[in-house]
Amino acid sequence: QSDQNRPRFVAVTTLEDVQAVRCAEFHPNGRIYAVGSNSKTFRICEYPALSEIREDHSTYQPTVLFKRTKHHKGSIYCMAWSPAGDLIATGSNDKTVKLMRFNESQKQLEGQEMELTMHDGTVRDLCFLEDSSNKSSLLISGGAGDCKIYVTDCETSTPFQALSGHGGHVLSLYNWGGVMFVSGSQDKTVRFWDLRTRGCVNMVTPATSPGSRQGSPVAAVCVDPSGRLLVSGHEDSSCVLYDIRGNRPIQCFKPHSADVRSIRFSPSAYYLLTAGYDNKLVLTDLQGDLTMPLPSVVVAQHTDKVISGRWHPVDFSFLSTSADKTATLWALPPI
């Protein structure tokens, strides 16, 4: 692909930490984002106005609205906002999940935080579901240890379900609305769960070696908003597109040269953002025939492993976190 049509993302802001930054998540309203680090520090930052950005932009420090040191006893591995944006959860290698209320108007955490202690290993990922029957929020959490996925009622902060099935650490969880979610594991499988049936409704082992059924640990999963397309990211640098309704793989491609740690569809679902241990963030165009080779382009780079990439809910901008101890916001300057 020629360099001319390459999207030139610029680093708008960079938050610096003293240790690797593992996770960052936008609030559903897009006006703030939260960042969690190996230094146990939890921050809430302001999303800047992008109208002023030009290609010769000088990166600056974001405005930190809230900061808490020693938020966990260990590294903060993962975090998630509830769909309504009134709750945020964090998970750590101290084996706990913290659930906090968030006041949107004051942009502050409020009230008593709840500590959940049902996991017996590092909590690797979290996601929220809306329970449609009574409109309450449910928190899904998974990780190392017993490899169970726990479902917690956020009203009462009580775990009420433990989902068994994975034979290895749960590395990734993703929900795309409704009561369905997927999990990716060290055991090389992706499992689909439906809370109405209280269990696993489908299991896939994406093949990552051509001509064989060989798989690789699943470090990242996501599903497009329509619920038709699953993408899994693997430790052998592969990504696999999977047709959920047809229950069949579409293709395996390698946008990175090392572990793929994070995958997300853009808000329009036309593009896929992947983050890898090759220090790169890659944008793959999904607008054409998905069975053909997919155009991919490196859109951002860190000086060490990239651990996560997250799209802004509406803007064509994204956050990345890295072992180089930074969380960076990237955006396309207005033409």
Side-chain angles (χ1 to χ4, degrees), residues 163-179:
L163 302 168
S164 302
H166 279 300
H169 298 173
V170 178
L171 301 177
S172 182
L173 294 165
Y174 191 81
N175 157 254
W176 63 100
V179 287

Side-chain angles (χ1 to χ4, degrees), residues 59-281:
T59 310
Y60 58 94
Q61 289 269 358
T63 305
V64 177
L65 303 167
F66 179 91
K67 178 177 176 180
R68 176 187 285 168
T69 55
K70 301 197 176 74
H71 172 64
H72 275 273
K73 292 189 182 71
S75 304
I76 303 172
Y77 265 71
C78 52
M79 54 172 58
W81 293 94
S82 63
D86 57 341
L87 294 169
I88 183 166
T90 54
S92 167
N93 60 359
D94 66 8
K95 307 179 186 177
T96 69
V97 174
K98 291 202 172 185
L99 183 60
M100 298 151 287
R101 295 220 157 267
F102 179 72
N103 183 318
E104 210 171 310
S105 54
Q106 291 173 3
K107 299 183 177 154
Q108 295 287 326
L109 299 178
E110 62 178 17
Q112 183 64 45
E113 67 175 29
M114 300 305 295
E115 190 173 71
L116 306 172
T117 56
M118 63 281 187
H119 288 276
D120 65 352
T122 299
V123 182
R124 293 294 299 259
D125 209 1
L126 300 159
C127 67
F128 281 92
L129 302 190
E130 283 309 302
D131 183 355
S132 43
S133 59
N134 58 2
K135 284 283 174 259
S136 71
S137 287
L138 302 176
L139 177 64
I140 315 291
S141 54
D146 61 12
C147 309
K148 287 190 170 79
I149 296 170
Y150 288 90
V151 186
T152 299
D153 180 338
C154 296
E155 280 303 303
T156 59
S157 305
T158 315
F160 66 91
Q161 217 170 324
L163 302 168
S164 302
H166 279 300
H169 298 173
V170 178
L171 301 177
S172 182
L173 294 165
Y174 191 81
N175 157 254
W176 63 100
V179 287
M180 297 280 296
F181 68 94
V182 287
S183 56
S185 165
Q186 197 86 47
D187 66 13
K188 305 179 182 177
T189 69
V190 175
R191 284 176 180 263
F192 293 78
W193 307 85
D194 185 333
L195 288 183
R196 291 163 302 199
T197 63
R198 294 180 167 256
C200 178
V201 291
N202 193 11
M203 183 186 85
V204 175
T205 306
T208 59
S209 303
S212 82
R213 296 210 173 149
Q214 202 57 43
S216 170
V218 186
V221 284
C222 74
V223 173
D224 81 315
S226 71
R228 289 177 187 181
L229 188 62
L230 164 84
V231 190
S232 53
H234 300 265
E235 283 184 5
D236 67 0
S237 76
S238 309
C239 290
V240 178
L241 294 180
Y242 193 86
D243 171 359
I244 295 175
R245 296 183 186 174
N247 201 13
R248 63 190 176 85
I250 301 169
Q251 74 158 293
C252 174
F253 63 105
K254 293 204 172 188
H256 293 271
S257 57
D259 304 37
V260 180
R261 299 311 297 195
S262 174
I263 296 188
R264 284 293 188 271
F265 286 94
S266 65
S268 62
Y270 293 142
Y271 296 97
L272 196 66
L273 179 70
T274 52
Y277 274 4
D278 57 1
N279 308 0
K280 295 178 169 75
L281 289 121

